[in-house]
């Protein structure tokens, strides 16, 4: 039984690492194409992915801690990672919202949002796969924290759908505010994620979680 539990925690750690490295790759590609094509929604999506890396490191550390002692409370490293994540999300919120508003009034048009469609589609598939296996392992380990992480990963899916909608909308119509509205929606999710990060750092239950560790 202990061997089975050890294997499950090993896979939980692998999933956390996959999430981290995927977000690094996704962030780099999104920021690169976002800058090149002057697509604020894709650029913001990429920055959000980079912030998720900080959160992912905290989750990976949490899994390692729980492997040794499932009943242990979050340590200083995890709480600090959550605070940094929350602050970064708040900065991203104001930056994206401000840029989007300026773009709306200046009638800015991105060169193309094709890559936003591709990246969003890949992200949706990848995140749903990660959610599936995180839930499976979380249930097997009876770990509310891992299940909560899986549930919170759904926010990444919502962000991807927002990017997909904005990107398709612009490609079909050529109306520039589709890109800006997509950025505003992403900013809204970033604010929500920032708030929940600070709540988790304080040990307060979050909307995306059934039971914060």
């Amino acid at each position: 039984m202990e061997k089975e539990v050890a294997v499950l925690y090993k896979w939980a750690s692998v999933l956390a690492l996959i999430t981290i490295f995927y977000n690094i790759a996704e962030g780099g590609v999104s920021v690169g194409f976002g800058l090149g094509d002057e697509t604020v929604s894709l650029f913001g999506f990429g920055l959000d992915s980079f912030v998720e890396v900080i959160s992912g490191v905290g989750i990976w550390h949490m899994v390692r801690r729980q492997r040794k002692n499932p009943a242990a409370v979050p340590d200083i490293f995890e709480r600090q990672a959550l605070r940094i994540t929350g602050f970064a999300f708040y900065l991203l919120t104001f930056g994206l919202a401000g840029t989007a508003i300026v773009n709306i009034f200046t009638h800015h048009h991105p060169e193309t949002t094709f890559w936003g469609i591709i990246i969003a589609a890949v992200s949706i598939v990848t995140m749903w796969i990660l959610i599936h296996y995180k839930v499976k392992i979380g249930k097997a380990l009876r770990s509310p924290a891992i299940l909560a992480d899986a549930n919170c990963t759904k926010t990444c899916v919502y962000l991807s759908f927002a990017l997909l909608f904005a990107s398709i909308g612009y490609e079909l119509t050529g109306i520039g505010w589709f890109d800006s509205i997509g950025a505003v929606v992403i900013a809204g999710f970033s604010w929500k994620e920032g708030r929940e990060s600070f709540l988790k750092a304080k040990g307060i239950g979050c909307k995306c979680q059934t039971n914060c560790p």
Side-chain angles (χ1 to χ4, degrees):
M1 184 66 179
E2 290 183 2
K3 184 177 180 180
E4 292 179 1
V5 171
V7 171
L8 287 171
Y9 271 114
K10 179 181 178 180
W11 278 109
S13 181
V14 168
L15 288 175
L17 288 173
I18 290 174
T19 303
I20 291 170
F21 288 110
Y22 175 81
N23 276 317
I24 291 173
E26 180 181 77
V29 172
S30 299
V31 168
F33 280 114
L35 287 172
D37 297 333
E38 298 184 6
T39 310
V40 65
S41 59
L42 181 56
F43 179 74
F45 183 80
L47 291 182
D48 187 277
S49 296
F50 282 136
V51 178
E52 290 287 355
V53 171
I54 305 173
S55 177
V57 171
I59 295 298
W60 175 72
H61 179 77
M62 176 200 73
V63 171
R64 293 184 65 197
R65 171 180 56 77
Q66 285 195 331
R67 185 175 181 176
K68 298 177 181 178
N69 183 7
V73 297
D75 60 19
I76 295 175
F77 179 88
E78 290 172 50
R79 293 183 185 278
Q80 190 63 26
L82 286 168
R83 293 189 186 97
I84 294 172
T85 300
F87 183 70
F89 272 131
Y90 280 159
L91 283 179
L92 179 59
T93 297
F94 290 115
L96 278 180
T99 303
I101 291 172
V102 170
N103 284 352
I104 290 174
F105 281 102
T106 58
H107 304 289
H108 173 78
H109 290 258
E111 292 185 14
T112 178
T113 54
F114 170 79
W115 288 109
I117 297 173
I118 300 300
I119 292 171
V122 172
S123 181
I124 289 170
V125 174
T126 303
M127 288 300 114
W128 272 119
I129 292 173
L130 287 172
I131 289 170
H132 170 76
Y133 285 105
K134 286 180 180 181
V135 168
K136 185 176 181 179
I137 291 175
K139 288 182 177 179
L141 290 171
R142 297 181 181 179
S143 171
I146 294 176
L147 288 172
D149 173 49
N151 202 29
C152 286
T153 304
K154 290 180 181 178
T155 301
C156 298
V157 178
Y158 302 149
L159 282 167
S160 300
F161 272 114
L163 174 63
L164 184 64
F165 173 79
S167 300
I168 291 177
Y170 177 75
E171 284 297 311
L172 292 177
T173 67
I175 299 175
W177 59 259
F178 265 105
D179 182 48
S180 298
I181 293 301
V184 170
V185 173
I186 291 173
F189 278 117
S190 295
W191 177 269
K192 177 176 176 291
E193 288 182 287
R195 179 174 178 274
E196 289 175 348
S197 292
F198 278 115
L199 288 175
K200 283 188 282 185
K202 295 178 180 178
I204 302 173
C206 319
K207 289 183 179 180
C208 68
Q209 297 196 18
T210 54
N211 183 17
C212 288

